[in-house]
Every structure is written in C-alpha cells, then in structure tokens.
Amino acid sequence: MKIIACYSIKGGVGKTATAINLAYASANDGMRTLICDLDPQGASSFYFRVQPSKKLKLDSFFTRRDRLIRNIKGSDYPLLDILPSNMAYRNFDQMLAGMKKSHLRLAQILASLSDEYDVVVLDCPPNITILSENVFHAADQVVVPIVPTTLSQRTFEQLLQFYKQSNLKKRALLPFFSMVEQRKRMHREVRRLMRKQYKRFLQSEVPYSVDVENMGISREPVLVTRPHTPSAEAFLQLWQELKSLNKL
Amino acid sequence: MVFERVWMADSIDLEQPEWVDVLSPFSLQLEHKEQSRYQLLDTFDWALWQQGRALLYNHSGGKKRAYELWNRNEFLSGSAFTQQASGRKRGRFWWDISAQQPVTEPQNEFEQLLKKACKLRVLLEMHHFEQFSVRYAVKNSDLKSVAWIELVTLRHSSGERTLAEEEGAPVVRQVLRVLPVRGYDLELKKLQKRVQKMGLPLYTDHLLEEYLLASGVTPARYQSKPSIVINTEDVARDVVLRYLRALLNVSRENEHGIVEDLDIEFLHDYRVSLRRIRSILSLVRKVFSPEETRWLKQQFAAIAKRTNQLRDLDVYLLEQENYRALVPPVLADGVDTLFASLVLERKRELRRVRRWLRSADYDSTMKAIQLRLEGEAEKLGAGLQADKAVLSVATKEISKKFHKIGKLGMAIDASTPDQEVHDLRIECKKLRYLLDFFGNLFPKKMQRSAVSTLKRLQDNLGKFNDLSVQQESLQAFLLNHQQDQVSMLAAVGGLIGALNLEQKQERAKVTETFSEFYSAQTRQLYAEMVREKEDVQ
C-alpha cells in the first residue's frame, strides 16, 4: 500500500482538486484506492457528495480500526472509497498532543488498512501542525502544489526548513506547479528559478483552468467531466509520474 | 452488513412511473447498458448440464467472443469461468475451444471441466438467447450513489421463433439485483424494503432451467441408457415391451448425428441400444411367441451388422497416438501411412452407412418394427412367461446367468484356450445387461454393488478381447494390402507383435480377477437378490 499526501502550507493552491483527481486516476487504473479527507472544511467530501461523518469520535480515529472502517463510504466510482471529513478534526492537534509517540499515530492506523487498499490519498489541511507532522511520517510521497509566485517560493522554503529541523527525509517531498498561467511573466520566471534550486520537482504542470474551478458545481473530478482538457490531462500525467515513482 | 439481494421478474421497466414512485426519494441514474448474444452449448446427451454446468458462447460480436462456463444453479448470481474465443468460428469440440489437440492435457480448470464432461462429444447449439443488462446508480438527495440496481433480461433471440412466441407471448425472464455501496447500509435496507413492496419473488437457483423450459427447451431429455419405471407386480411382457420401445427410440434419435457425422458417439449409442435390444430378446425368454422373437431378432441382427465396419474404424482412429507409441520409432511413419489409409476407408464406409440410413428400405424396416412394438400387446404373440410377474422372471434369469458364469470361470486356468475366455466374457456381458435392465427392481445398494464387482471382471476380459480383435483385423489388413508400401506393412507387423504381448499380460490376470469376482461375498449378494423375490411374494 502506498500513501500519497497532498499538502500545502498555503490554502487555495489546488490541493483538494489534486487529491481527488489523483485518487480517481488511481482507482480508474485498477488500484483499490481510499481518499482520506483530513481537512475539517471537508472539501473532498463535498466534491464526492459524501456527508461528513458524525459518529466518528476523534479519540477512536487513531486507535480503533473497526470504527474507522465503519466510516468509510463508497464513492460513485469503482474501486474508490472515501473517509469523509469530520468537524472534530479541528481538534486533532489537541488530541495528539496528549498521546505517546504522537507524530507516528497516523502512520500506524493507516498501516492497518494495507490489506484493503493499494493506494491511500491524504487530503490535508493547510498549515504546519502535529497532524501535518503525522502526515509527513505516514506518507511515501508528499505532493505539494505550488502556484508559481514569489510568495509560494517563500512558503516552500519554510517547508524545507521544517523538514530539516525535524530530521524528515526531504526525498519524499515532491512539489509540482499548479494553476500555471503561461502568459504571466512572473509564472515563467519563478518556475525556472525554483526548478533550478530544487531538483525534485515533478515534471507535470497543471494549468490554471475554469474546469477545475467548476468542480465545485459539478461535484465530480475533471477527469470525469472534462477528460480531454489540458488540466485533466495534466492530472493524469501527474498520476503516471507518481505511479512509476512508486513502481505500482 | 447488508448484502445484495436478487429478485425474479418478467417485464419490469424501472423508468415507469410505478417504479419511480416506489423508489422515491431515491432516484435512478442510468450508468451502463449492455446487450449480449449467447448460445447455450452442450453435448447431445447434455453431459455438461447433467454435471450441473451450463456452457455459454458469447457471440455479441467484435472482441467479445468468449466462452463462459457457469454452475447452472448460480447463473447470473455466481461467477463463471471465462475463456476468450480464439478463432472466428465457434469451437465444435472441447479441444477446439482452446485450440488444443484431442490428446493434449487440459491447461486449466475450465478445460478440465469441459474435457471431463464432453470427452469425444461434439458441442451442439441447444438454444440461443439475448441478455440485456442495465445498471442504474441509486441516488440520494445529494445525488450521491448509495446503491446499484442491475436489471438483467433474458430473451430468446430473434430468428427462430419459439412456440410461446408464436402464440404471442415472448419468453422473458428478468433478474433484479440491488447491490450495496460501501457505508450506505441504511439506504440499502430502505431500498430493499421498497423493492420488496412490489411483491416480486426472490431469485431462485433455477433461473436458467425455468427460462429454458418456458422457451420449450427440455434439458437432459435424451439419455443414452433409458431408465423406465418398473413395479415388481408388472407382468414381464409389458416391462420388456416398454424397455424395447425406449431403446428403439434411443437408436432412432441417434440416426441424424450419424448421417451428419457430428461425432462418433452417435453411432456408438445407436449400436449399444440395438445390442441391448437383441440381448433382452434372447435373455428374457418366452415373453413373446417363438416366431415373434425370431422375427425381431432377425431384423435387429441385420440392422446391427451394417455398421460394424464403421464402428471398428472409429475405434482404430482413436488409437493413432497409442499405436505410434507401441512400435519402435523406425516404424512410426508406417503407422501414420496406415492411419492415412484408414481415414480414407472410413470416408468410404461412412458414405455407405449414410446411404443405407437414408434409404427407403431402412425406413420401412424400422417402421415395421415400431408398429409391432407400439401396437397392442396382443398383436405380439405371447410366450409362456408373458404374464408372469417381472420380478420372478428377473431373479430366475439373473441367478441362472450367475451360476453359468461361475461354472465357466472356475474351469479357467493358465492353459485354457482363449475361446473359453471369450465365452466367459460374453456371459458376463449378458449378466450385466440383465442387471441394467432389471436393476430398478432391487434395492439400489444391492444393484450397485452387483454391477461394480462385475465391472472389474468385465474390464479385464474386455481389454483382452479388444486386443485380440485388433490383432485379427490387422492380420486381415495385411492380407488385403499385400501390394502396399513396405513401411506400412512393417508397422502393421510390429503392431501385431506389440498387441500380442499386451494381450498376454491381460490374459495372465484373468484367473485372479475372476476369483476376486466369484468370492463368497459376491455369491452371498446374488443369493440375497434371489431371496428378494421370495420376500415380495
């Protein structure tokens, strides 16, 4: 089982769009896939039309596999399941702070799902918390969407800094350019510079697209609604890159 | 956990208002539609069906040509072995289906199952039908899928019309299946309750059978060994007549397959039932008048003789690989030449048999016999035993035959001439026919153990006989082909030698297999069979 996290310190960079399209592409490729919506705002759950789970208590999230499994729902697509978000996720950090080995809890509970799924995609809330530390420990890859602006460049450096301080493996960090607009000079400049500084950028670049923004209305992955648009093709290419990195 | 549930129906349209009402607040969204065309394949004697299977050939066109082997009572509810069709033409025999040779070993479970059931028999198209599958997503108010509904419809394909369709009622069977989406158990339960309200019967295991019967197809109608119901108090002549009629039907049903040369088992079954008829006529004595019996025997002897040659050739042609293995490698090419000439000979012989079966002469003989057997019993002159209870006739004949076998068998040792071994074989065969014929009169266990002890002895004697028949006909072949290729004649010589050696080995076993058969236990069994009669009377 491979765990792929979609993570960004900044919000509004296309993180959830990436998570759900990657998850869809994986399931469509024949992998038994679970997408975990860890963001209390529940954007992935919304896109898949799944109501937030009310019953799952936060303390059992990390300890009770059976409770966790009971909350998993089938999506409308074959092989793709979703663990919907929960308002209680706001208090993840408080909860984790009181636990032993708090930064490994997520890795442990996800490992218990390995006989059911081939791929787990984590849709993470923005900002750096104990939960995100858990994500970094659990994930085989952390995919980071980056809008090519100077501000994004700064936040990515913050993330690299955090990895260094926490002794995490930088190899797992895989940034890619998201919401790219070819005609903007700054986008071109920043992409060139950042690719030079950080060698592990993924090749795929997802262009800015109205279709992706419209996902909020259609409530389906662009890979389903507009499979032949440049953005859909970019998500598919992104999945292919991750698939070969994971030797899936 | 709530599981899927399956209902039966015959004309549901889920888009009709009554269903829309029943299913609300859920709504349906069409996800997938598929139409497949199938042929139901089986051997003439429904061997697959008898073993609980149904072989379907999916010929919906394009890349979809495939064979599906189902457990017939799990049709649509279970899963099938599937094998892609290799050529454009449908396979005629099990080995064609996977582009194998008849002698190769099956490659997988699918082929093993096919081989075990079909053996040498051709696969016939028993029925053809269409299957429509429609899959709907069941949506809640968020338009999230909370379950799936699948509606599968079986319908006789256009082309030939079934009897029922002629009368204006197309035969249709439907299966309505509600499948879960993970995490939506409550919705699934609710949905199942709603469907339940429509009063449909739950799925039965016999969907395919029901559908076929409704379409006018009776699976397993043909049986090469007809079994008739006998009551102990029935009079002998009635029982014999009933049995003869059934056997005659079997041979007539096989005529078509012989003429069309569909597979070699048609001729085999044809001949076996004729042989059974002749045995009964001579084994169960004095049920008809002597003149009557003589006339019937003559007719059947004449008919049976006509196909001897063709059957012999069929049996030979099966042996090609064995024969090749029997001779030294230098003679193997000669064996192939021999077989090439046998193939030609079979062609000629088949033409002869075909012409005969289609002749007016054959037809009128058969009709005359049928008229005799099917007419009133009085028309057939009665013999002395005609009105005796069948059980007493049966026990008398069986016990007589058993003692005769005992006497013959006991006399055999290593130096006894072969002819006496052949006589023993013939008596055993007669006893076997009696047991088959009257079997129903005895407790099942008794009949079964009588047959199985006898069978072991028969196998040994049968092999011994086959080997000597083969040698004789190879010798005859040598006499008729003295001008032919030396390599072939040498191969024939080599074969005779090898077969003779094998025959000696079989001969050496006879004394032992006989004493195993004629044990105290077997004698006890036959004594009990005779006692059955006294118990009843």
Side-chain angles (χ1 to χ4, degrees):
Chain A
M1 186 181 76
K2 294 292 175 186
I3 301 173
I4 299 169
C6 286
Y7 174 81
S8 161
I9 303 180
K10 248 173 81 63
V13 296
K15 181 173 49 65
T16 298
T18 307
I20 70 169
N21 280 291
L22 279 181
Y24 174 81
S26 157
N28 203 36
D29 220 349
M31 312 282 161
R32 295 167 301 162
T33 307
L34 176 70
I35 176 166
C36 294
D37 190 356
L38 298 175
D39 188 342
Q41 290 175 32
S44 312
S45 313
F46 172 78
Y47 282 135
F48 283 128
R49 301 168 191 262
V50 176
Q51 295 290 340
S53 60
K54 289 171 198 137
K55 281 188 223 143
L56 187 63
K57 296 237 174 63
L58 204 50
D59 53 344
S60 53
F61 185 101
F62 291 107
T63 49
R64 296 285 302 271
R65 177 179 186 269
D66 55 332
R67 296 260 173 90
L68 188 70
I69 280 185
R70 218 182 298 158
N71 276 278
I72 293 176
K73 304 261 183 199
S75 75
D76 288 8
Y77 313 103
L79 299 182
L80 179 56
D81 289 348
I82 173 164
L83 180 65
S85 134
N86 186 322
M87 276 309 272
Y89 288 2
R90 283 171 307 169
N91 307 321
F92 261 137
D93 269 41
Q94 253 174 306
M95 232 273 312
L96 284 163
M99 292 174 109
K100 285 180 189 165
K101 294 206 171 166
S102 61
H103 57 293
L104 293 177
R105 287 287 169 164
L106 184 64
Q108 280 166 1
I109 191 77
L110 288 179
S112 73
L113 299 176
S114 63
D115 53 344
E116 290 213 40
Y117 296 103
D118 305 312
V119 172
V120 175
V121 175
L122 304 174
D123 185 18
C124 313
N127 66 46
I128 298 190
T129 58
I130 307 182
L131 177 65
S132 21
E133 234 188 301
N134 267 277
V135 167
F136 300 149
H137 278 287
D140 295 285
Q141 277 106 27
V142 178
V143 176
V144 189
I146 288 174
V147 185
T149 60
T150 3
L151 199 60
S152 302
Q153 206 175 344
R154 266 198 61 224
T155 45
F156 184 60
E157 270 155 24
Q158 282 174 359
L159 184 58
L160 284 173
Q161 204 62 36
F162 179 82
Y163 259 66
K164 208 171 173 184
Q165 283 164 11
S166 317
N167 256 333
L168 286 157
K169 279 187 205 132
K170 256 191 347 189
R171 291 175 48 85
L173 267 186
L174 299 175
F176 75 97
F177 288 113
S178 171
M179 300 167 80
V180 175
E181 289 176 83
Q182 290 292 355
R183 58 193 172 77
K184 284 189 178 165
R185 212 178 77 198
M186 182 171 66
H187 275 204
R188 289 201 300 272
E189 265 313 289
V190 172
R191 270 150 60 215
R192 195 178 55 80
L193 267 170
M194 282 186 81
R195 279 196 187 277
K196 216 170 172 182
Q197 281 165 8
Y198 189 76
K199 296 291 174 205
R200 293 184 60 79
F201 256 92
L202 292 166
Q203 288 307 308
S204 317
E205 297 188 347
V206 180
Y208 172 80
S209 146
V210 182
D211 301 321
V212 178
E213 286 194 334
N214 281 346
M215 272 172 49
I217 301 165
S218 68
R219 297 172 82 176
E220 283 185 282
V222 268
L223 279 169
V224 176
T225 51
R226 309 290 302 272
H228 302 299
T229 53
S231 48
E233 275 162 9
F235 282 128
L236 199 60
Q237 199 194 336
L238 188 65
W239 160 247
Q240 295 297 348
E241 248 185 285
L242 289 167
K243 189 179 154 189
S244 67
L245 273 173
N246 280 308
K247 301 193 173 69
L248 281 169
Chain B
M1 273 289 266
V2 189
F3 295 99
E4 67 164 271
R5 197 180 283 180
V6 188
W7 287 272
M8 301 280 291
D10 55 17
S11 57
I12 287 184
D13 180 352
L14 291 172
E15 288 164 31
Q16 286 296 308
E18 51 167 354
W19 277 93
V20 173
D21 284 352
V22 163
L23 296 176
S24 80
F26 300 115
S27 56
L28 295 185
Q29 185 182 309
L30 182 66
E31 286 278 317
H32 184 68
K33 246 182 181 173
E34 199 176 2
Q35 180 176 356
S36 311
R37 288 193 299 162
Y38 284 109
Q39 293 177 0
L40 173 70
L41 303 181
D42 213 322
T43 64
F44 184 62
D45 52 357
W46 293 83
L48 285 160
W49 187 273
Q50 304 272 28
Q51 296 190 7
R53 313 271 173 188
L55 178 65
L56 299 180
Y57 175 56
N58 183 340
H59 60 116
S60 313
K63 289 177 203 154
K64 277 166 50 184
R65 284 169 191 273
Y67 300 92
E68 298 172 12
L69 184 63
W70 293 84
N71 278 339
R72 68 175 153 92
N73 288 346
E74 286 170 14
F75 179 60
L76 296 184
S77 67
S79 59
F81 291 103
T82 308
Q83 184 137 327
Q84 291 303 314
S86 45
R88 285 198 57 78
K89 271 171 109 182
R90 171 173 83 68
R92 292 185 62 233
F93 293 93
W94 78 262
W95 56 86
D96 292 336
I97 282 181
S98 41
Q100 302 283 344
Q101 293 297 311
V103 285
T104 47
E105 282 306 305
Q107 305 288 307
N108 50 39
E109 203 179 342
F110 170 80
E111 291 181 15
Q112 272 162 14
L113 289 168
L114 276 191
K115 184 186 179 181
K116 199 173 133 234
C118 304
K119 297 182 186 105
L120 295 169
R121 297 231 70 160
V122 70
L123 288 164
L124 301 170
E125 183 186 313
M126 297 304 198
H127 185 63
H128 43 111
F129 61 95
E130 287 170 330
Q131 178 182 317
F132 302 92
S133 309
V134 192
R135 192 179 165 93
Y136 296 95
V138 181
K139 301 283 189 182
N140 66 10
S141 54
D142 288 336
L143 295 183
K144 167 78 183 78
S145 309
V146 293
W148 306 97
I149 289 187
E150 239 176 45
L151 189 63
V152 182
T153 308
L154 302 182
R155 213 176 66 182
H156 188 269
S157 2
S158 49
E160 283 170 53
R161 285 160 72 85
T162 62
L163 213 63
E165 277 176 324
E166 293 288 343
E167 287 159 12
V171 176
V172 168
R173 284 291 180 279
Q174 280 183 321
V175 171
L176 178 81
R177 183 190 303 205
V178 177
L179 302 141
V181 168
R182 184 170 189 165
Y184 291 94
D185 286 8
L186 276 178
E187 286 83 351
L188 187 71
K189 255 189 222 159
K190 221 187 221 172
L191 191 65
Q192 289 179 342
K193 254 189 207 148
R194 270 156 211 252
V195 175
Q196 195 74 59
K197 263 199 210 152
M198 295 299 277
L200 300 173
L202 278 174
Y203 176 84
T204 74
D205 291 343
H206 308 297
L207 170 71
L208 196 57
E209 190 168 4
E210 277 176 27
Y211 165 72
L212 287 174
L213 288 173
S215 309
V217 180
T218 315
R221 189 187 51 81
Y222 170 85
Q223 285 177 312
S224 64
K225 255 190 193 182
S227 65
I228 57 167
V229 183
I230 320 181
N231 296 311
T232 42
E233 61 272 20
D234 288 349
V235 297
R237 190 178 53 182
D238 283 355
V239 176
V240 171
L241 263 180
R242 259 187 284 153
Y243 200 57
L244 291 181
R245 278 179 213 145
L247 284 167
L248 193 62
N249 269 342
V250 171
S251 34
R252 300 233 65 182
E253 277 186 280
N254 279 290
E255 289 164 2
H256 170 75
I258 303 170
V259 169
E260 298 294 323
D261 198 22
L262 296 174
D263 69 41
I264 65 169
E265 300 297 77
F266 286 97
L267 179 61
H268 183 56
D269 281 7
Y270 174 84
R271 287 169 55 80
V272 168
S273 48
L274 288 178
R275 198 183 309 139
R276 281 172 197 273
I277 289 177
R278 295 170 65 199
S279 306
I280 287 156
L281 286 173
S282 53
L283 289 172
V284 189
R285 282 162 302 174
K286 296 178 191 162
V287 287
F288 306 128
S289 70
E291 306 80 57
E292 200 69 55
T293 313
R294 200 175 315 122
W295 183 79
L296 283 170
K297 274 182 169 176
Q298 274 167 2
Q299 302 301 314
F300 283 114
I303 293 170
K305 215 169 68 187
R306 293 288 197 142
T307 55
N308 286 351
Q309 184 68 11
L310 185 56
R311 175 61 190 168
D312 284 350
L313 286 163
D314 282 345
V315 174
Y316 274 126
L317 290 174
L318 288 178
E319 294 288 328
Q320 184 161 7
E321 288 304 311
N322 287 342
Y323 277 15
R324 276 185 69 108
L326 275 178
V327 295
V330 285
L331 295 180
D333 281 352
V335 171
D336 289 345
T337 320
L338 168 67
F339 273 90
S341 95
L342 290 179
V343 167
L344 284 178
E345 207 171 322
R346 183 183 183 276
K347 237 183 207 165
R348 279 195 296 274
E349 195 52 38
L350 175 66
R351 261 204 299 273
R352 212 179 345 247
V353 168
R354 201 180 260 160
R355 223 175 11 244
W356 168 67
L357 280 175
R358 282 172 172 163
S359 69
D361 194 26
Y362 174 77
D363 191 51
S364 65
T365 312
M366 275 300 199
K367 280 196 177 130
I369 298 172
Q370 271 172 316
L371 213 64
R372 267 313 224 289
L373 296 180
E374 274 159 24
E376 299 300 308
E378 297 89 71
K379 278 192 193 160
L380 275 165
L384 294 171
Q385 296 213 68
D387 296 320
K388 281 204 179 146
V390 64
L391 184 65
S392 88
V393 177
T395 49
K396 197 168 121 195
E397 300 293 348
I398 287 173
S399 136
K400 211 187 228 170
K401 201 54 65 191
F402 181 70
H403 286 113
K404 185 160 185 193
I405 287 171
K407 219 167 108 188
L408 278 174
M410 297 289 272
I412 288 178
D413 59 26
S415 63
T416 315
D418 283 357
Q419 189 50 48
E420 285 171 37
V421 180
H422 287 309
D423 292 345
L424 176 65
R425 179 185 67 86
I426 287 163
E427 294 307 315
C428 286
K429 203 169 193 172
K430 287 177 179 169
L431 178 59
R432 176 71 178 279
Y433 283 138
L434 285 171
L435 291 174
D436 283 349
F437 176 35
F438 292 120
N440 290 349
L441 291 169
F442 302 98
K444 231 190 189 107
K445 221 176 127 190
M446 197 183 254
Q447 191 244 355
R448 267 205 207 126
S449 84
V451 168
S452 71
T453 43
L454 180 58
K455 202 169 172 296
R456 276 193 292 274
L457 177 59
Q458 278 191 291
D459 284 347
N460 180 204
L461 295 170
K463 228 182 231 167
F464 171 74
N465 180 59
D466 286 348
L467 288 163
S468 78
V469 170
Q470 286 172 33
Q471 287 172 65
E472 276 164 31
S473 58
L474 284 171
Q475 273 154 13
F477 184 89
L478 272 186
L479 289 177
N480 293 331
H481 292 77
Q482 286 178 3
Q483 310 304 317
D484 280 13
Q485 276 183 47
V486 178
S487 67
M488 180 170 86
L489 300 180
V492 172
L495 279 173
I496 292 175
L499 293 170
N500 190 260
L501 200 69
E502 252 189 76
Q503 191 197 10
K504 281 194 178 118
Q505 287 161 359
E506 283 300 322
R507 174 67 179 81
K509 289 185 207 157
V510 171
T511 349
E512 201 187 320
T513 38
F514 179 78
S515 57
E516 273 168 20
F517 164 75
Y518 205 62
S519 65
Q521 211 181 349
T522 316
R523 291 201 299 268
Q524 175 72 21
L525 179 73
Y526 280 84
E528 274 168 33
M529 282 174 89
V530 177
R531 253 205 301 285
E532 278 289 309
K533 169 186 126 190
E534 288 149 12
D535 289 350
V536 170
Q537 286 170 349

